[in-house]
Each structure stands twice: as structure tokens, then as C-alpha cells.
């Protein structure tokens, strides 16, 4: 019997494709993790296992040329993603609304959430130690499935309830901001002596 797949959820995977920028971003992220006392304090108070600039700094592209260069690169990725999503933008382009650094230690993660008041959200990965946690994406229909049975382990990716996206250094992941997702805790930092460094962001119209 012929079948059609309806109501697709787009997920974008690109590459920063700039080793020099990636190296510069690592230096900038580590410097922030050392110097941003407000961010370090917020991370401690909220049980964040590592450092994030999420609640302390909102001007990174103006503060550091590495983040300014990253914003220019992300603009191109987001424009391509918006086209693939068939957004009717009326001649407008999505605009970078916020951008923040995450330096996760071993066992660090981020529970399921979405990004209100944004159109496109994403993460670029700067360092990814072996064993670092994946990005876990949740089927947005899950709250409405009621008595539906779980899916088999061998189900195609577009039928799974959860999909795990494994990044590498330079990976750019993009998704529509309503898509619920989480950072799975990993043990990569403990095993390799490194930290998982990523930069997350939101775009609006």
C-alpha cells in the first residue's frame, strides 16, 4: 500500500569548515570561562556542570572578533536552513538574537527544553571529546501520542521517538526553535582530560 510521510521536521547538519576560526573560538571560550565571574557564579548557583555565558553576557559578537566571524558564518547556514524549511519571510532574513558559550565537564548535560520567542536555534561544536554526550531530539508529537506503542529499535530515523545527533568539532546543528531537545550527559571529559565546548544561539525574524 502506498504511504506518504507528512509534517516533516527538518534538522540541519553543516560544518563550520574553518579550522582557524575553530581554534580561535576555543581560545575565546576558554578565556571567557576563566574571566567571566558573573557567568561562573550563575553556573555554580544553578548546578551547571562547567561554565556558560547564557545569563551573563549578551554581546559576544561585539566583544570578540572570533564570535563576530562566527555570526557571519552562521548567518549563511541559517539562511540555507530557512530556505529548506520553505519559510515565507517576505524578503526578510532571520537575525541573530542571542549567542552563548557552554563549557561542559564530565557528566554535564542539559535537560529537555525548547527555545521560546525564536524561529531557528542551534549549536556549533568547538571541542568534542570522545564519549561526550549527544544532542537528543524528541518527536514533537510525543505529548499527543496517548496510547500509541513505542517504536522498535530498528525503526527508520523518521519514525523514532528520539533521535541522537552525534557532533564533531566544527559541526553546526540547526532546528526550528519549537523542537524539544536535550544534551545527554557524557563522560568524554573524564576519559580524555578535555571539556566539551559548544556555542548555542537563537535567531528571530
Amino acid at each position: 500500500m502506498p504511504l506518504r510521510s507528512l509534517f516533516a521536521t527538518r534538522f540541519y547538519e553543516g560544518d563550520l569548515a574553518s579550522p582557524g576560526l575553530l581554534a580561535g573560538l576555543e581560545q575565546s571560550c576558554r578565556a571567557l570561562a576563566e574571566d567571566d565571574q558573573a557567568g561562573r557564579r550563575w553556573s555554580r548557583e544553578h548546578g551547571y556542570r562547567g561554565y556558560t555565558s547564557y545569563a551573563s553576557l549578551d554581546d559576544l559578537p561585539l566583544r570578540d572578533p572570533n564570535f563576530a566571524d562566527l555570526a557571519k558564518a552562521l548567518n549563511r547556514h541559517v539562511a540555507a536552513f530557512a530556505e529548506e524549511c520553505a519559510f515565507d519571510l517576505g524578503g526578510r532574513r532571520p537575525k541573530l538574537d542571542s549567542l552563548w558559550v557552554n563549557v561542559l565537564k564530565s557528566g554535564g548535560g542539559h535537560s529537555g527544553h525548547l527555545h521560546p520567542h525564536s524561529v531557528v536555534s542551534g549549536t556549533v561544536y568547538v571541542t568534542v571529546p570522545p564519549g561526550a554526550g549527544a544532542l537528543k531530539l524528541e518527536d514533537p508529537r510525543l505529548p499527543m501520542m496517548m496510547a500509541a506503542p513505542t517504536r522498535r529499535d530498528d525503526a527508520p530515523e523518521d519514525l523514532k521517538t528520539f533521535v541522537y545527533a552525534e557532533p564533531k568539532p566544527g559541526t553546526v546543528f540547526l532546528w526550528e526553535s519549537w523542537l524539544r531537545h536535550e544534551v545527554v550527559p557524557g563522560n568524554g571529559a573524564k576519559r580524555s582530560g578535555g571539556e566539551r565546548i559548544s556555542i548555542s544561539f537563537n535567531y528571530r525574524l
Side-chain angles (χ1 to χ4, degrees):
M1 179 181 297
L3 293 175
R4 291 185 293 169
S5 290
L6 304 177
F7 313 118
T9 300
R10 301 294 194 198
F11 180 73
Y12 177 100
E13 181 173 351
D15 195 308
L16 199 56
S18 177
L21 177 55
L22 206 58
L25 288 169
E26 180 176 358
Q27 291 181 343
S28 296
C29 291
R30 292 192 183 281
L32 283 177
E34 289 290 328
D35 298 338
D36 178 17
Q37 296 301 317
R40 289 165 63 92
R41 182 169 58 252
W42 187 94
S43 298
R44 286 194 304 270
E45 291 172 352
H46 290 80
Y48 189 86
R49 193 170 177 82
Y51 161 80
T52 179
S53 66
Y54 174 76
S56 56
L57 299 171
D58 61 2
D59 61 349
L60 294 184
L62 297 177
R63 182 182 293 264
D64 186 317
N66 285 316
F67 294 113
D69 289 343
L70 174 62
K72 292 175 184 176
L74 292 177
N75 287 342
R76 295 190 291 270
H77 286 281
V78 171
F81 180 58
E83 181 64 25
E84 288 297 321
C85 290
F87 289 159
D88 184 359
L89 301 179
R92 296 173 295 169
R93 281 194 163 201
K95 297 179 181 178
L96 181 64
D97 180 63
S98 54
L99 180 148
W100 63 97
V101 166
N102 312 289
V103 180
L104 270 180
K105 296 180 179 179
S106 178
H110 194 176
S111 60
H113 63 285
L114 42 76
H115 294 213
H117 313 301
S118 302
V119 175
V120 174
S121 298
T123 300
V124 58
Y125 295 82
V126 180
T127 66
V128 185
L135 180 68
K136 181 180 179 182
L137 303 152
E138 178 183 305
D139 186 334
R141 301 166 298 178
L142 187 59
M144 296 172 283
M145 288 185 181
M146 298 173 288
T150 58
R151 308 287 185 177
R152 299 193 310 268
D153 290 341
D154 63 349
E157 186 175 67
D158 63 342
L159 291 179
K160 290 183 180 295
T161 304
F162 299 101
V163 174
Y164 295 83
E166 300 281 354
K168 61 182 186 300
T171 294
V172 179
F173 286 155
L174 301 175
W175 57 88
E176 292 186 67
S177 300
W178 47 258
L179 183 62
R180 188 174 171 86
H181 57 284
E182 66 181 275
V183 179
V184 178
N187 62 356
K190 182 181 294 184
R191 286 162 48 183
S192 67
E195 297 159 317
R196 200 200 73 163
I197 300 176
S198 64
I199 302 167
S200 298
F201 47 88
N202 290 321
Y203 276 72
R204 59 175 175 80
L205 293 181

